Amino acid sequence: MSYHVQKYGHVRKSGKRVGAAVGAAVMLLSFLQPPFIQVMAAEELVNTGYFGDVAIKGYDPVAYFTENQAVEGSETYSHHWLGATWYFASARNRDLFKGDPSKYAPQYGGYCADGVSFGTVTTNIDPKAWRIIDGKLYLSYDPGAAEGMEKNPTKVTDSKKHWSEVQQTLISEKMHTVWQQPDTK
């Protein structure tokens, strides 16, 4: 989902008008803080933990599908996508991901799907706590939460329902961080 500033300061998100006030803020901040526009792109909300820019703590997203297990990736086979660096166990897996990243990337940017099902943000995930449900990869903070996602189908439904509000929380947190960064110019 992308935000597009339109005439008169309106912002359009996924075909919906967000409003003149938000549009004006985006336009103003785009001049004052160029990183703000990048922060506003909700599809770029990839969980990279507390430090660095590596998604899934360096685990290979393709291996969950092809090897049915969590496999550590290597910096040797990396790819930059949606503001994060993704590691892969092989060049083949990296190339599969590059060909169709949305097929292999975890749902909700790699944030804990169980937390999202409650409308909360859980940054700390365990790459070994995962499930593929209906062809989609879901990561969780621990094996019990991953099992709960699989056993309770309403958790998947609830996480889909709450994701937009969780995105707004993440965007707000990122905006706050950007605003607090000193101007180095």
Side-chain angles (χ1 to χ4, degrees), residues 25-70:
V26 168
M27 285 176 44
L28 174 64
L29 289 169
S30 69
F31 295 108
L32 299 176
Q33 286 281 359
F36 179 80
I37 294 301
Q38 292 174 351
V39 168
M40 289 300 294
E43 68 271 14
E44 291 187 23
L45 296 173
V46 175
N47 182 2
T48 57
Y50 297 108
F51 305 102
D53 73 342
V54 178
I56 317 177
K57 296 185 176 182
Y59 277 71
D60 181 339
V62 175
Y64 292 104
F65 293 90
T66 61
E67 298 181 38
N68 200 31
Q69 64 181 338

Side-chain angles (χ1 to χ4, degrees), residues 90-171:
S90 67
R92 178 184 177 275
N93 283 6
R94 181 197 58 214
D95 294 344
L96 283 169
F97 185 86
K98 286 169 72 172
D100 192 0
S102 61
K103 177 179 178 178
Y104 299 106
Q107 298 301 290
Y108 316 120
Y111 287 90
C112 175
D114 187 62
V116 173
S117 76
F118 292 103
T120 62
V121 176
T122 305
T123 302
N124 195 23
I125 53 104
D126 177 353
K128 295 179 182 176
W130 62 279
R131 291 294 188 273
I132 294 177
I133 302 169
D134 295 329
K136 303 289 184 184
L137 174 60
Y138 295 88
L139 299 173
S140 296
Y141 66 92
D142 73 15
E147 186 177 337
M149 288 295 293
E150 184 176 45
K151 288 184 175 181
N152 187 351
T154 60
K155 284 194 171 281
V156 172
T157 303
D158 290 344
S159 61
K160 288 176 184 176
K161 180 177 74 176
H162 290 295
W163 178 231
S164 64
E165 72 186 62
V166 170
Q167 283 178 319
Q168 293 307 310
T169 298
L170 292 166
I171 289 169

Side-chain angles (χ1 to χ4, degrees), residues 11-28:
V11 172
R12 191 164 292 278
K13 176 182 112 179
S14 298
K16 296 179 184 175
R17 181 174 276 184
V18 176
V22 172
V26 168
M27 285 176 44
L28 174 64

